[in-house]
Amino acid sequence: MNIEFTFRNLDATEQVKEYALKRLSKIDRYVSRPIACQVTFVSDNSDQRVEIGLSVPGKKLFVKESSGDIMKSVDGAVDKMVSRIVKFKENRYSHI
């Protein structure tokens, strides 16, 4: 999977990137051919937000999660993305 990281108003640290990569590996179990993934980290005052855009064959999925901690935001965004993928796959294959 091709993953692109963007940091806005936040310093790019290897620890955050590695943690996000570790958590995003969970998505590989649900999608056999992910095309691209863009992860954006945004810091607004005391709010830390993570946005994940995932391109899969036939659809583009997007989720946002914000909290006071960037790691919690990553966890929440990945969990939301997994549920979106599962829902997308159920809708796609329920008609066959």
Side-chain angles (χ1 to χ4, degrees), residues 12-64:
T13 63
E14 287 299 318
Q15 181 184 11
V16 173
K17 285 183 183 179
E18 288 175 10
Y19 185 76
L21 281 172
K22 182 179 140 192
R23 293 290 292 155
L24 286 169
S25 66
K26 185 177 183 180
I27 292 174
D28 286 337
R29 288 185 254 169
Y30 295 97
V31 180
S32 59
R33 297 181 321 169
I35 297 171
C37 181
Q38 181 170 1
V39 182
T40 305
F41 301 95
V42 182
S43 178
D44 296 327
N45 299 332
S46 64
D47 194 33
Q48 307 289 323
R49 187 173 70 226
V50 175
E51 302 170 356
I52 301 175
L54 180 70
S55 297
V56 294
K59 186 103 174 166
K60 290 185 180 181
L61 304 171
F62 182 79
V63 296
K64 280 193 234 187

